């Protein structure tokens, strides 16, 4: 069985080599389609996922791959998770904050993750028992322990304001500093100690599992809104915190 360090190194290499596939379409002419859930998809999403799948199949023949654009191939319990362009709306509008996510799930839990930011030239990676890095240098979360002094990032605020107005009304006055965002980069900022917490909403497994691996490898906490560990069947509402104490404050923030 391939060890976790080897898998992490391969995931970093595959994500890095896929960056030019996405970047060659960035800020170029794009035909945008709508998927069944009305989320947008472009040729860049599809080309990038094909490149990642081809590389994973070559590195780990026969292993299961679950991607956003082309679904699941294989039936093994160990699964590679792929989000080729996390933040297609950012990509379409020329924002350089779209990411590329890879994760590896075994025994029902995510074991490693990669958050690649092609337009920024930043690659965050982490695995259980190995730690987390950004472009190869070690990173870790902050020691923020109280929401009242935390740097809080709110993802998908428009959705939360409509679907969870009670909790959202608390969020917009919480923390010492708040910023509205989306997608994977806010979680990478927590993993690297630049932000302290993220509340996120409406995610899919390929959005939150790779990110959770990086956050946890950096020493942070990432769960659903009930405080449960994230799995393939979580409901897509997530809390990311630098410390257990801050995570407890976030649980209070989203409690009805």
């Amino acid at each position: 069985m391939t060890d976790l360090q080897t898998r992490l190194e391969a995931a970093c290499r595959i994500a890095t080599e896929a960056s030019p596939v996405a970047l060659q379409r960035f800020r170029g002419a794009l035909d945008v389609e709508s998927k069944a859930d009305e989320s947008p998809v472009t040729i860049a999403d599809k080309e990038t996922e094909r490149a990642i799948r081809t590389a994973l199949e070559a590195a780990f023949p026969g292993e299961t791959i679950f991607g956003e654009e082309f679904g699941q191939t294989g039936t093994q319990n160990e699964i590679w998770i792929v989000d080729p362009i996390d933040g297609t709306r950012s990509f379409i509008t020329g924002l350089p904050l779209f990411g590329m996510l890879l994760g590896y799930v075994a025994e029902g839990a995510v074991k490693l993750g990669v958050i690649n930011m092609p337009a920024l030239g930043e690659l965050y990676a982490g695995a259980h028992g190995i730690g987390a890095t950004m472009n190869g240098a070690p990173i870790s979360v902050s020691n923020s322990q109280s929401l009242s002094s935390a740097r809080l990032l709110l993802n998908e605020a428009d959705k939360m304001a409509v679907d969870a107005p009670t909790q959202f009304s608390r969020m917009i006055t919480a923390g010492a500093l708040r910023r509205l965002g989306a997608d994977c980069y806010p979680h990478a900022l927590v993993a690297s100690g630049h932000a302290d917490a993220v509340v996120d909403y409406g995610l899919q497994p390929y959005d939150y599992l790779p990110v959770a691996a990086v956050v946890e490898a950096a020493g942070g906490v990432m769960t659903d809104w009930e405080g449960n560990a994230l799995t393939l069947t979580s409901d897509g509402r997530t809390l990311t915190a630098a410390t257990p104490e801050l995570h407890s404050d976030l649980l209070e923030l989203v409690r009805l």
Side-chain angles (χ1 to χ4, degrees), residues 108-209:
V110 64
K111 300 297 184 180
L112 69 81
V114 172
I115 304 171
N116 183 26
M117 306 298 296
L120 301 182
E122 297 177 3
L123 187 141
Y124 300 80
H128 287 197
I130 294 175
T133 60
M134 195 281 279
N135 290 353
I139 57 173
S140 63
V141 296
S142 75
N143 64 358
S144 177
Q145 298 183 16
S146 171
L147 182 58
S148 63
S149 59
R151 298 163 292 182
L152 174 64
L153 300 173
L154 304 176
N155 274 6
E156 307 298 343
D158 54 339
K159 296 178 184 177
M160 289 193 290
V162 173
D163 296 344
T166 300
Q167 294 99 322
F168 185 70
S169 66
R170 299 187 204 121
M171 295 177 200
I172 57 174
T173 59
L177 179 155
R178 291 162 304 283
R179 299 296 294 170
L180 305 186
D183 313 317
C184 59
Y185 197 51
H187 302 275
L189 294 176
V190 172
S192 53
H194 298 295
D196 303 315
V198 184
V199 180
D200 215 331
Y201 188 88
L203 305 182
Q204 297 295 327
Y206 40 75
D207 298 315
Y208 58 77
L209 287 175

Side-chain angles (χ1 to χ4, degrees), residues 3 25 27 51 61 78 82 89 92 109 137 149 157 169 177 198 208 215 218 222 224 234:
D3 68 83
R25 298 284 187 180
R27 294 179 176 170
E78 293 79 15
V82 180
R89 291 179 176 86
I92 290 167
S149 59
S169 66
L177 179 155
V198 184
Y208 58 77
V215 169
M222 188 167 175
D224 67 13
S234 296

Side-chain angles (χ1 to χ4, degrees), residues 6-27:
T6 299
R7 289 183 180 277
L8 182 63
E9 291 171 359
C12 290
R13 173 183 56 79
I14 289 167
T16 299
E17 292 175 353
S19 290
V21 180
L23 288 174
Q24 70 181 352
R25 298 284 187 180
F26 184 52
R27 294 179 176 170

Side-chain angles (χ1 to χ4, degrees), residues 225-251:
W225 281 21
E226 302 297 325
N228 300 313
L230 295 171
T231 70
L232 284 164
T233 58
S234 296
D235 67 9
R237 302 177 301 164
T238 67
L239 302 174
T240 297
T243 63
E245 294 83 359
L246 180 54
H247 180 260
S248 293
D249 283 357
L250 290 182
L251 286 172

